[in-house]
Amino acid sequence: MQAADLTLSSLCSNAMDIAGLTIALLRTSKIPARYAHGTIDVPVEALKNWAGGFSDSNAAMAFAASGGIPITAVTSGGKISQVGWAHAVCAHAE
């Protein structure tokens, strides 16, 4: 069984899974495609809200990481101010 099969059967995915599947479909259709990836800096307060209303920054980061999202804390003044959130997308290459 391939990794994509596991993702489809579990009905769970992350940005890298979706980008990989999209790239495979495009390439099968003879359309050039590649990964584009980077890091998005998200204010920690926004992450806590998006993750479901967490009051604790570390708990919100652990929750996001448990879903397969690579994240890192960005601190300012000894306090977590932002979260570096790794993201991947499919880029069409003409």
Side-chain angles (χ1 to χ4, degrees):
M1 186 176 283
Q2 295 179 354
D5 295 331
L6 292 172
T7 301
L8 292 173
S9 66
S10 67
L11 301 178
C12 295
S13 65
N14 59 31
M16 190 63 102
D17 298 329
I18 294 167
L21 181 58
T22 304
I23 288 168
L25 291 169
L26 288 168
R27 288 179 178 172
T28 298
S29 298
K30 307 286 189 249
I31 300 170
R34 61 179 174 77
Y35 286 101
H37 57 86
T39 303
I40 302 167
D41 288 333
V42 177
V44 72
E45 294 302 320
L47 174 67
K48 292 191 302 189
N49 184 41
W50 295 340
F54 283 86
S55 58
D56 180 76
S57 299
N58 289 315
M61 290 175 57
F63 178 76
S66 73
I69 301 168
I71 59 173
T72 55
V74 178
T75 59
S76 176
K79 185 177 171 184
I80 299 172
S81 60
Q82 294 188 348
V83 176
W85 188 319
H87 190 65
V89 295
C90 170
H92 171 64
E94 292 190 45

Coordinates of all heavy atoms in Angstrom, one line a residue:
M1 N 0.8 -1.2 0.0 CA 0.0 0.0 0.0 C 0.9 1.2 0.0 O 1.9 1.3 0.7 CB -0.9 0.0 1.2 CG -1.9 1.1 1.3 SD -3.1 1.0 2.7 CE -4.1 -0.3 2.1
Q2 N 0.6 2.2 -0.8 CA 1.4 3.4 -0.9 C 0.9 4.5 0.1 O -0.2 4.4 0.6 CB 1.2 4.0 -2.3 CG 1.9 3.1 -3.4 CD 1.7 3.7 -4.7 OE1 1.0 4.8 -4.9 NE2 2.3 3.1 -5.7
A3 N 1.7 5.5 0.4 CA 1.4 6.5 1.3 C 0.1 7.2 1.0 O -0.8 7.5 1.8 CB 2.5 7.5 1.5
A4 N -0.1 7.5 -0.3 CA -1.4 8.2 -0.8 C -2.6 7.3 -0.4 O -3.6 7.8 -0.1 CB -1.3 8.5 -2.2
D5 N -2.5 6.0 -0.6 CA -3.6 5.1 -0.2 C -3.9 5.2 1.2 O -5.1 5.2 1.6 CB -3.2 3.6 -0.6 CG -3.0 3.4 -2.1 OD1 -3.6 4.1 -2.8 OD2 -2.2 2.5 -2.4
L6 N -2.9 5.3 2.1 CA -3.2 5.4 3.5 C -3.9 6.7 3.8 O -4.8 6.8 4.6 CB -1.9 5.3 4.3 CG -1.1 4.0 4.3 CD1 0.2 4.1 5.0 CD2 -2.0 3.0 5.0
T7 N -3.5 7.8 3.2 CA -4.1 9.1 3.4 C -5.6 9.0 2.9 O -6.4 9.5 3.6 CB -3.3 10.2 2.6 OG1 -2.0 10.2 3.1 CG2 -4.0 11.5 2.8
L8 N -5.8 8.5 1.8 CA -7.2 8.4 1.2 C -8.1 7.5 2.1 O -9.2 7.9 2.4 CB -7.2 7.9 -0.2 CG -6.6 8.9 -1.2 CD1 -6.5 8.2 -2.6 CD2 -7.4 10.2 -1.3
S9 N -7.6 6.4 2.6 CA -8.4 5.5 3.4 C -8.7 6.0 4.8 O -9.7 5.8 5.3 CB -7.7 4.1 3.5 OG -6.5 4.2 4.2
S10 N -7.7 6.9 5.3 CA -8.0 7.4 6.6 C -8.8 8.7 6.6 O -9.2 9.2 7.6 CB -6.6 7.7 7.3 OG -5.9 8.7 6.6
L11 N -9.0 9.2 5.4 CA -9.7 10.5 5.2 C -9.0 11.7 5.9 O -9.7 12.6 6.3 CB -11.2 10.4 5.6 CG -12.0 9.3 4.9 CD1 -13.4 9.3 5.5 CD2 -12.0 9.5 3.4
C12 N -7.7 11.6 6.0 CA -6.9 12.6 6.7 C -5.8 13.1 5.7 O -5.2 12.2 5.0 CB -6.3 12.1 7.9 SG -7.5 11.7 9.2
S13 N -5.5 14.3 5.7 CA -4.4 14.8 4.9 C -3.9 16.1 5.4 O -4.5 16.8 6.2 CB -4.8 14.9 3.4 OG -5.8 15.9 3.3
N14 N -2.7 16.5 4.9 CA -2.2 17.9 5.1 C -1.9 18.5 3.8 O -2.1 18.0 2.7 CB -1.0 17.8 6.1 CG 0.1 17.0 5.5 OD1 0.3 16.9 4.4 ND2 0.9 16.4 6.4
A15 N -1.3 19.7 3.8 CA -1.0 20.5 2.6 C -0.1 19.7 1.7 O -0.2 19.7 0.5 CB -0.5 21.8 2.9
M16 N 0.9 19.0 2.2 CA 1.9 18.3 1.4 C 1.2 17.1 0.7 O 1.5 16.8 -0.4 CB 3.0 17.8 2.3 CG 4.2 17.2 1.5 SD 4.9 18.4 0.4 CE 6.4 18.8 1.3
D17 N 0.3 16.4 1.4 CA -0.5 15.3 0.8 C -1.3 15.8 -0.4 O -1.3 15.2 -1.4 CB -1.4 14.6 1.8 CG -0.7 14.0 3.0 OD1 0.5 13.5 2.8 OD2 -1.2 14.0 4.1
I18 N -2.0 16.9 -0.1 CA -2.9 17.4 -1.2 C -2.1 17.9 -2.4 O -2.4 17.6 -3.5 CB -3.8 18.5 -0.6 CG1 -4.8 17.9 0.4 CG2 -4.6 19.2 -1.7 CD1 -5.5 18.9 1.3
A19 N -1.0 18.6 -2.1 CA -0.1 19.0 -3.2 C 0.4 17.8 -4.0 O 0.5 17.9 -5.2 CB 1.0 19.9 -2.7
G20 N 0.9 16.8 -3.3 CA 1.4 15.6 -3.9 C 0.4 14.9 -4.8 O 0.7 14.5 -5.9
L21 N -0.8 14.8 -4.3 CA -1.8 14.2 -5.1 C -2.2 15.0 -6.3 O -2.3 14.5 -7.5 CB -3.1 13.9 -4.3 CG -4.3 13.3 -4.9 CD1 -3.9 11.9 -5.5 CD2 -5.4 13.1 -3.9
T22 N -2.3 16.3 -6.2 CA -2.6 17.2 -7.3 C -1.5 17.2 -8.3 O -1.8 17.1 -9.5 CB -2.8 18.7 -6.8 OG1 -3.8 18.7 -5.8 CG2 -3.1 19.6 -7.9
I23 N -0.2 17.1 -7.9 CA 0.9 17.1 -8.8 C 0.8 15.7 -9.6 O 1.0 15.7 -10.8 CB 2.2 17.2 -8.1 CG1 2.4 18.7 -7.6 CG2 3.4 16.8 -8.9 CD1 3.5 18.9 -6.7
A24 N 0.6 14.6 -8.9 CA 0.5 13.3 -9.6 C -0.6 13.3 -10.7 O -0.4 12.9 -11.8 CB 0.2 12.2 -8.6
L25 N -1.8 13.9 -10.3 CA -2.9 14.0 -11.3 C -2.5 14.9 -12.5 O -2.8 14.5 -13.6 CB -4.1 14.5 -10.6 CG -4.8 13.6 -9.6 CD1 -5.8 14.3 -8.8 CD2 -5.3 12.3 -10.2
L26 N -1.9 16.0 -12.2 CA -1.5 16.9 -13.3 C -0.5 16.2 -14.2 O -0.6 16.3 -15.5 CB -1.0 18.2 -12.8 CG -2.0 19.1 -12.2 CD1 -1.4 20.3 -11.4 CD2 -3.0 19.7 -13.3
R27 N 0.5 15.6 -13.6 CA 1.6 15.0 -14.4 C 1.0 13.8 -15.2 O 1.4 13.6 -16.4 CB 2.7 14.5 -13.5 CG 3.5 15.7 -13.0 CD 4.6 15.2 -12.1 NE 5.4 16.3 -11.6 CZ 6.4 16.2 -10.7 NH1 6.6 15.0 -10.1 NH2 7.1 17.2 -10.3
T28 N 0.1 13.1 -14.7 CA -0.6 12.0 -15.4 C -1.3 12.5 -16.6 O -1.4 11.8 -17.7 CB -1.5 11.2 -14.5 OG1 -0.8 10.6 -13.4 CG2 -2.3 10.1 -15.2
S29 N -1.8 13.7 -16.5 CA -2.5 14.4 -17.6 C -1.5 15.1 -18.5 O -1.9 16.0 -19.3 CB -3.5 15.3 -17.1 OG -4.5 14.6 -16.3
K30 N -0.2 14.9 -18.4 CA 0.8 15.5 -19.2 C 0.9 17.0 -19.0 O 1.3 17.8 -19.9 CB 0.6 15.2 -20.7 CG 0.5 13.8 -21.0 CD 1.9 13.1 -20.9 CE 1.8 11.7 -21.4 NZ 1.9 10.6 -20.5
I31 N 0.5 17.5 -17.8 CA 0.6 18.9 -17.4 C 1.8 19.0 -16.4 O 1.7 18.4 -15.4 CB -0.7 19.4 -16.8 CG1 -1.9 19.3 -17.8 CG2 -0.5 20.9 -16.3 CD1 -3.2 19.5 -17.2
P32 N 2.8 19.8 -16.7 CA 3.9 19.9 -15.8 C 3.5 20.6 -14.5 O 2.7 21.5 -14.5 CB 4.9 20.8 -16.6 CG 4.4 21.1 -17.9 CD 3.0 20.6 -18.0
A33 N 4.0 20.1 -13.4 CA 3.7 20.6 -12.1 C 4.8 20.3 -11.2 O 5.6 19.4 -11.3 CB 2.4 20.0 -11.6
R34 N 4.9 21.2 -10.1 CA 6.0 21.0 -9.1 C 5.5 21.5 -7.8 O 4.5 22.2 -7.7 CB 7.3 21.7 -9.5 CG 7.0 23.2 -9.7 CD 8.3 24.0 -10.1 NE 8.1 25.4 -10.3 CZ 7.9 26.3 -9.4 NH1 7.9 26.0 -8.1 NH2 7.7 27.5 -9.7
Y35 N 6.3 21.1 -6.8 CA 6.0 21.7 -5.4 C 6.5 23.1 -5.3 O 7.5 23.4 -5.8 CB 6.7 20.8 -4.3 CG 6.1 19.5 -4.1 CD1 6.7 18.3 -4.6 CD2 5.0 19.3 -3.3 CE1 6.2 17.1 -4.4 CE2 4.4 18.1 -3.1 CZ 5.0 17.0 -3.6 OH 4.5 15.7 -3.4
A36 N 5.8 23.9 -4.5 CA 6.2 25.2 -4.1 C 6.0 25.1 -2.6 O 4.9 24.7 -2.1 CB 5.5 26.3 -4.7
H37 N 7.0 25.5 -1.8 CA 6.8 25.4 -0.4 C 7.5 26.6 0.3 O 8.4 27.3 -0.2 CB 7.3 24.1 0.2 CG 8.8 23.8 -0.1 ND1 9.8 24.3 0.7 CD2 9.3 23.2 -1.1 CE1 10.9 23.9 0.2 NE2 10.7 23.2 -1.0
G38 N 7.1 26.9 1.5 CA 7.6 28.0 2.3 C 7.0 28.0 3.7 O 6.4 27.0 4.1
T39 N 7.3 29.0 4.4 CA 6.8 29.1 5.8 C 5.9 30.4 5.9 O 6.3 31.4 5.4 CB 7.9 29.2 6.8 OG1 8.8 28.1 6.6 CG2 7.4 29.3 8.2
I40 N 4.8 30.2 6.5 CA 3.9 31.3 6.8 C 4.0 31.7 8.3 O 3.9 30.8 9.1 CB 2.4 30.9 6.5 CG1 2.3 30.5 5.0 CG2 1.5 32.0 6.8 CD1 1.0 29.7 4.7
D41 N 4.2 32.9 8.6 CA 4.3 33.3 10.0 C 2.9 33.8 10.4 O 2.3 34.7 9.8 CB 5.3 34.5 10.2 CG 6.7 34.0 10.1 OD1 7.0 32.8 10.4 OD2 7.6 34.8 9.8
V42 N 2.3 33.0 11.4 CA 0.9 33.2 11.8 C 1.0 33.8 13.2 O 1.7 33.2 14.1 CB 0.1 31.9 11.8 CG1 -1.3 32.1 12.3 CG2 0.1 31.3 10.4
P43 N 0.3 34.9 13.5 CA 0.2 35.3 14.9 C -0.3 34.2 15.8 O -1.3 33.5 15.5 CB -0.7 36.5 14.9 CG -0.7 37.0 13.5 CD -0.5 35.7 12.7
V44 N 0.3 34.0 17.0 CA -0.1 32.9 17.9 C -1.5 33.0 18.3 O -2.2 32.0 18.5 CB 0.9 32.7 19.1 CG1 0.7 33.9 20.1 CG2 0.7 31.4 19.7
E45 N -2.0 34.2 18.4 CA -3.4 34.4 18.8 C -4.4 33.9 17.7 O -5.4 33.3 18.0 CB -3.7 35.8 19.2 CG -3.0 36.4 20.4 CD -3.3 35.6 21.7 OE1 -4.5 35.2 21.9 OE2 -2.4 35.3 22.4
A46 N -4.0 34.1 16.5 CA -4.8 33.5 15.4 C -4.8 32.0 15.4 O -5.8 31.4 15.2 CB -4.3 34.1 14.0
L47 N -3.6 31.4 15.6 CA -3.5 30.0 15.6 C -4.4 29.4 16.7 O -5.1 28.4 16.5 CB -2.0 29.5 15.8 CG -1.9 28.0 16.0 CD1 -2.2 27.2 14.8 CD2 -0.5 27.6 16.5
K48 N -4.3 30.0 17.9 CA -5.2 29.5 19.0 C -6.6 29.6 18.7 O -7.4 28.6 19.0 CB -4.9 30.3 20.3 CG -3.5 30.1 20.8 CD -3.2 30.6 22.2 CE -3.4 32.1 22.4 NZ -3.0 32.6 23.7
N49 N -7.0 30.6 18.0 CA -8.4 30.7 17.6 C -8.8 29.7 16.5 O -9.8 29.0 16.6 CB -8.7 32.1 17.0 CG -10.1 32.3 16.7 OD1 -11.1 31.9 17.4 ND2 -10.4 33.0 15.6
W50 N -7.9 29.6 15.4 CA -8.2 28.6 14.3 C -8.2 27.2 14.8 O -8.9 26.3 14.3 CB -7.1 28.8 13.3 CG -7.1 30.1 12.5 CD1 -8.1 31.0 12.5 CD2 -6.0 30.6 11.8 NE1 -7.7 32.1 11.7 CE2 -6.5 31.9 11.3 CE3 -4.8 30.2 11.5 CZ2 -5.6 32.7 10.5 CZ3 -3.9 31.0 10.7 CH2 -4.4 32.2 10.2
A51 N -7.3 26.9 15.8 CA -7.2 25.5 16.3 C -8.4 25.1 17.2 O -8.5 23.9 17.6 CB -5.9 25.3 17.1
G52 N -9.3 26.0 17.5 CA -10.4 25.7 18.3 C -10.6 26.4 19.6 O -11.3 26.0 20.5
G53 N -10.0 27.6 19.7 CA -10.2 28.4 20.9 C -9.3 28.0 22.0 O -9.7 28.1 23.2
F54 N -8.1 27.6 21.8 CA -7.1 27.3 22.8 C -6.7 28.5 23.6 O -6.6 29.6 23.0 CB -5.9 26.7 22.2 CG -6.0 25.2 21.8 CD1 -6.5 24.9 20.6 CD2 -5.7 24.2 22.7 CE1 -6.6 23.6 20.2 CE2 -5.8 22.9 22.4 CZ -6.3 22.6 21.1
S55 N -6.5 28.4 24.9 CA -6.0 29.5 25.7 C -4.5 29.4 25.9 O -3.9 30.4 26.2 CB -6.7 29.6 27.0 OG -6.5 28.4 27.7
D56 N -4.0 28.2 25.7 CA -2.5 28.0 25.9 C -1.9 27.8 24.5 O -2.3 27.0 23.7 CB -2.3 26.7 26.7 CG -0.9 26.4 26.9 OD1 -0.3 27.1 27.8 OD2 -0.4 25.5 26.2
S57 N -0.8 28.6 24.3 CA -0.1 28.6 23.0 C 0.5 27.3 22.7 O 0.4 26.8 21.6 CB 1.0 29.7 23.0 OG 0.4 31.0 23.1
N58 N 1.2 26.7 23.7 CA 1.8 25.4 23.5 C 0.8 24.3 23.2 O 1.1 23.4 22.3 CB 2.7 25.0 24.7 CG 3.9 25.9 24.8 OD1 4.6 26.1 23.8 ND2 4.2 26.3 26.0
A59 N -0.3 24.3 23.8 CA -1.4 23.3 23.5 C -1.9 23.5 22.1 O -2.1 22.5 21.4 CB -2.5 23.4 24.5
A60 N -2.1 24.7 21.6 CA -2.5 24.9 20.2 C -1.5 24.5 19.2 O -1.8 23.9 18.2 CB -2.8 26.4 20.0
M61 N -0.2 24.7 19.5 CA 0.9 24.3 18.6 C 1.0 22.7 18.6 O 1.1 22.2 17.6 CB 2.2 24.9 19.1 CG 2.3 26.4 18.8 SD 3.8 27.1 19.5 CE 5.1 26.1 18.7
A62 N 0.8 22.1 19.8 CA 0.8 20.6 19.8 C -0.4 20.1 19.0 O -0.2 19.0 18.3 CB 0.8 20.2 21.3
F63 N -1.5 20.7 19.1 CA -2.7 20.2 18.4 C -2.4 20.3 16.9 O -2.7 19.4 16.1 CB -3.9 21.1 18.8 CG -5.2 20.7 18.0 CD1 -5.9 19.5 18.3 CD2 -5.6 21.5 17.0 CE1 -7.0 19.2 17.7 CE2 -6.8 21.2 16.3 CZ -7.5 20.0 16.6
A64 N -1.9 21.5 16.4 CA -1.6 21.6 15.0 C -0.5 20.6 14.5 O -0.7 20.0 13.5 CB -1.1 23.1 14.7
A65 N 0.5 20.4 15.3 CA 1.5 19.5 15.0 C 1.0 18.0 14.9 O 1.5 17.2 14.1 CB 2.7 19.6 16.0
S66 N 0.0 17.7 15.7 CA -0.5 16.4 15.7 C -1.2 16.0 14.4 O -1.4 14.9 14.1 CB -1.5 16.1 16.9 OG -2.7 16.8 16.7
G67 N -1.6 17.1 13.7 CA -2.3 16.9 12.4 C -1.3 16.9 11.2 O -1.6 16.9 10.1
G68 N 0.0 16.8 11.6 CA 1.1 16.7 10.5 C 1.5 18.0 10.0 O 2.1 18.1 8.9
I69 N 1.2 19.1 10.7 CA 1.7 20.4 10.2 C 3.0 20.8 10.9 O 3.0 20.9 12.1 CB 0.6 21.5 10.6 CG1 -0.7 21.2 9.9 CG2 1.1 22.9 10.1 CD1 -1.9 22.0 10.4
P70 N 4.1 20.9 10.1 CA 5.4 21.3 10.8 C 5.3 22.7 11.2 O 5.1 23.6 10.4 CB 6.4 21.1 9.6 CG 5.7 20.3 8.6 CD 4.3 20.5 8.7
I71 N 5.5 23.0 12.5 CA 5.4 24.3 13.0 C 6.6 24.6 14.0 O 7.1 23.7 14.5 CB 4.1 24.6 13.7 CG1 3.9 23.6 14.9 CG2 2.9 24.6 12.8 CD1 2.7 23.9 15.7
T72 N 6.9 25.9 14.1 CA 8.0 26.3 15.0 C 7.5 27.6 15.7 O 6.8 28.4 15.1 CB 9.3 26.6 14.3 OG1 9.1 27.5 13.3 CG2 9.9 25.3 13.7
A73 N 7.9 27.7 17.0 CA 7.5 28.9 17.7 C 8.5 30.0 17.4 O 9.7 29.8 17.2 CB 7.6 28.6 19.2
V74 N 8.0 31.2 17.2 CA 8.7 32.4 17.0 C 8.5 33.3 18.2 O 7.4 33.6 18.6 CB 8.3 33.2 15.7 CG1 9.1 34.5 15.6 CG2 8.4 32.3 14.5
T75 N 9.6 33.5 19.0 CA 9.5 34.3 20.2 C 9.9 35.7 20.1 O 10.7 36.1 19.3 CB 10.3 33.6 21.4 OG1 11.6 33.5 21.0 CG2 9.8 32.2 21.6
S76 N 9.3 36.5 20.9 CA 9.7 37.9 21.0 C 9.5 38.3 22.5 O 8.5 38.1 23.1 CB 8.7 38.8 20.2 OG 9.0 40.1 20.3
G77 N 10.6 38.8 23.1 CA 10.6 39.2 24.5 C 10.3 38.0 25.4 O 9.7 38.1 26.4
G78 N 10.8 36.8 25.0 CA 10.7 35.6 25.8 C 9.3 35.0 25.8 O 9.0 34.0 26.5
K79 N 8.4 35.4 24.9 CA 7.1 35.0 24.8 C 6.8 34.6 23.3 O 7.2 35.2 22.4 CB 6.1 36.1 25.2 CG 4.7 35.7 25.3 CD 3.9 36.9 25.8 CE 2.4 36.6 25.7 NZ 1.6 37.8 26.1
I80 N 6.0 33.5 23.1 CA 5.6 33.1 21.8 C 4.7 34.2 21.2 O 3.7 34.5 21.7 CB 4.9 31.7 21.7 CG1 5.8 30.6 22.3 CG2 4.5 31.4 20.3 CD1 5.1 29.3 22.5
S81 N 5.2 34.7 20.0 CA 4.4 35.8 19.4 C 3.8 35.3 18.1 O 2.7 35.7 17.7 CB 5.2 37.0 19.2 OG 6.3 36.7 18.3
Q82 N 4.5 34.4 17.4 CA 4.1 33.9 16.1 C 4.4 32.4 16.0 O 5.3 31.9 16.8 CB 4.7 34.7 15.0 CG 4.3 36.1 14.9 CD 4.8 36.8 13.6 OE1 5.6 36.3 12.9 NE2 4.2 38.0 13.3
V83 N 3.8 31.8 15.0 CA 4.1 30.4 14.8 C 4.5 30.3 13.3 O 3.8 30.8 12.4 CB 2.9 29.5 15.0 CG1 3.2 28.1 14.7 CG2 2.5 29.6 16.5
G84 N 5.7 29.7 13.0 CA 6.1 29.5 11.7 C 5.5 28.2 11.2 O 5.7 27.1 11.8
W85 N 4.6 28.3 10.2 CA 3.8 27.2 9.7 C 4.3 26.8 8.3 O 4.2 27.6 7.4 CB 2.4 27.7 9.7 CG 1.3 26.8 9.4 CD1 1.2 25.8 8.5 CD2 0.0 26.9 10.0 NE1 0.0 25.2 8.5 CE2 -0.8 25.8 9.4 CE3 -0.6 27.7 11.0 CZ2 -2.1 25.6 9.8 CZ3 -1.9 27.5 11.3 CH2 -2.6 26.4 10.8
A86 N 4.8 25.6 8.2 CA 5.3 25.1 6.9 C 4.1 24.8 6.0 O 3.1 24.3 6.5 CB 6.1 23.8 7.1
H87 N 4.2 25.2 4.8 CA 3.1 25.0 3.8 C 3.6 24.6 2.5 O 4.7 25.1 2.1 CB 2.3 26.4 3.7 CG 1.0 26.2 3.0 ND1 0.0 25.5 3.5 CD2 0.6 26.8 1.8 CE1 -1.0 25.6 2.6 NE2 -0.6 26.3 1.6
A88 N 2.9 23.7 1.8 CA 3.3 23.3 0.5 C 2.1 23.4 -0.4 O 0.9 23.2 0.0 CB 3.7 21.9 0.5
V89 N 2.3 23.8 -1.7 CA 1.2 23.9 -2.7 C 1.7 23.3 -4.0 O 2.9 23.1 -4.2 CB 0.8 25.4 -2.9 CG1 0.1 25.9 -1.6 CG2 1.9 26.2 -3.3
C90 N 0.8 23.1 -4.9 CA 1.2 22.6 -6.2 C 1.3 23.9 -7.1 O 0.4 24.7 -7.1 CB 0.1 21.7 -6.7 SG 0.2 21.4 -8.5
A91 N 2.4 24.0 -7.8 CA 2.6 25.1 -8.7 C 2.6 24.5 -10.1 O 3.4 23.6 -10.4 CB 3.9 25.8 -8.4
H92 N 1.8 25.1 -11.0 CA 1.8 24.7 -12.4 C 3.0 25.3 -13.1 O 3.3 26.5 -12.9 CB 0.5 25.1 -13.1 CG 0.5 25.0 -14.6 ND1 0.6 23.7 -15.2 CD2 0.5 25.9 -15.6 CE1 0.6 23.9 -16.5 NE2 0.5 25.2 -16.7
A93 N 3.8 24.5 -13.8 CA 5.0 24.9 -14.5 C 4.7 24.9 -16.0 O 4.6 23.9 -16.6 CB 6.2 24.1 -14.1
E94 N 4.7 26.1 -16.6 CA 4.4 26.1 -18.0 C 5.7 26.0 -18.8 O 6.7 26.4 -18.5 CB 3.7 27.4 -18.4 CG 2.3 27.5 -17.8 CD 1.5 28.6 -18.4 OE1 1.6 28.9 -19.6 OE2 0.9 29.3 -17.6

